[in-house]
Coordinates of all heavy atoms in Angstrom, one line a residue:
R120 N -116.9 35.6 -150.8 CA -115.8 35.3 -149.7 C -114.5 35.1 -150.4 O -113.5 35.5 -149.8 CB -116.3 34.0 -149.0 CG -117.3 34.4 -147.9 CD -117.7 33.1 -147.1 NE -118.7 33.5 -146.2 CZ -119.5 32.6 -145.6 NH1 -119.4 31.4 -145.8 NH2 -120.5 33.0 -144.8
T121 N -114.6 34.3 -151.6 CA -113.2 34.2 -152.3 C -112.6 35.6 -152.6 O -111.4 35.7 -152.6 CB -113.4 33.3 -153.6 OG1 -114.0 32.1 -153.2 CG2 -112.2 33.1 -154.4
K122 N -113.4 36.4 -153.3 CA -113.0 37.8 -153.6 C -112.4 38.5 -152.4 O -111.3 39.2 -152.6 CB -114.0 38.6 -154.3 CG -114.5 38.1 -155.7 CD -115.6 39.0 -156.2 CE -115.9 38.6 -157.6 NZ -117.0 39.3 -158.1
Y123 N -113.1 38.5 -151.3 CA -112.5 39.0 -149.9 C -111.3 38.5 -149.7 O -110.2 39.2 -149.3 CB -113.5 38.9 -148.9 CG -114.8 39.7 -148.9 CD1 -116.0 39.3 -148.3 CD2 -114.9 40.9 -149.6 CE1 -117.0 39.9 -148.3 CE2 -116.1 41.6 -149.6 CZ -117.1 41.1 -149.1 OH -118.3 41.9 -149.1
F124 N -111.1 37.2 -149.7 CA -109.8 36.6 -149.3 C -108.8 36.9 -150.3 O -107.6 37.2 -149.9 CB -110.0 35.0 -149.3 CG -108.7 34.3 -149.1 CD1 -108.2 34.2 -147.8 CD2 -108.0 33.7 -150.0 CE1 -107.0 33.7 -147.4 CE2 -106.7 33.0 -149.8 CZ -106.4 33.1 -148.5
Q125 N -109.1 36.9 -151.6 CA -108.0 37.2 -152.6 C -107.5 38.7 -152.5 O -106.4 39.0 -152.6 CB -108.6 37.0 -154.0 CG -108.6 35.5 -154.3 CD -109.4 35.2 -155.7 OE1 -110.1 36.2 -156.3 NE2 -109.4 34.0 -156.1
S126 N -108.5 39.5 -152.1 CA -108.1 40.9 -151.9 C -107.3 41.3 -150.7 O -106.7 42.3 -150.7 CB -109.4 41.9 -151.9 OG -110.1 41.7 -150.8
T127 N -107.4 40.4 -149.7 CA -106.6 40.6 -148.5 C -105.5 39.6 -148.3 O -104.7 39.8 -147.4 CB -107.5 40.5 -147.2 OG1 -108.1 39.2 -147.3 CG2 -108.6 41.5 -147.3
A128 N -105.3 38.8 -149.2 CA -104.2 37.7 -149.0 C -102.8 38.3 -149.0 O -102.0 37.8 -148.1 CB -104.4 36.7 -150.3
G129 N -102.7 39.4 -149.6 CA -101.3 40.0 -149.6 C -101.0 40.7 -148.3 O -100.0 41.0 -147.9
H130 N -102.1 40.9 -147.5 CA -101.9 41.7 -146.2 C -101.8 40.7 -145.1 O -101.4 41.1 -144.0 CB -103.3 42.6 -145.9 CG -103.5 43.5 -147.0 ND1 -102.7 44.7 -147.1 CD2 -104.4 43.6 -148.0 CE1 -103.1 45.5 -148.1 NE2 -104.1 44.8 -148.7
L131 N -102.0 39.5 -145.3 CA -101.8 38.4 -144.3 C -100.4 38.0 -144.3 O -99.9 37.6 -145.4 CB -102.8 37.3 -144.5 CG -104.4 37.7 -144.5 CD1 -105.1 36.4 -144.9 CD2 -104.7 38.1 -143.2
R132 N -99.8 37.8 -143.2 CA -98.4 37.5 -143.1 C -98.3 36.0 -142.4 O -99.2 35.8 -141.5 CB -97.6 38.4 -142.3 CG -97.5 39.7 -143.0 CD -96.4 40.6 -142.2 NE -96.6 41.8 -142.9 CZ -96.3 43.0 -142.5 NH1 -96.0 43.0 -141.1 NH2 -96.2 44.1 -143.1
R133 N -97.5 35.2 -142.8 CA -97.3 33.8 -142.1 C -96.6 34.2 -140.8 O -95.5 34.9 -140.9 CB -96.6 32.9 -143.1 CG -97.5 32.4 -144.1 CD -96.7 31.3 -144.9 NE -97.7 30.8 -145.9 CZ -97.4 29.8 -146.7 NH1 -96.3 29.2 -146.4 NH2 -98.2 29.5 -147.5

Side-chain angles (χ1 to χ4, degrees):
R120 286 183 181 157
T121 302
K122 286 180 181 179
Y123 288 155
F124 177 74
Q125 290 171 348
S126 69
T127 59
H130 298 287
L131 302 174
R132 295 185 182 153
R133 288 188 177 187

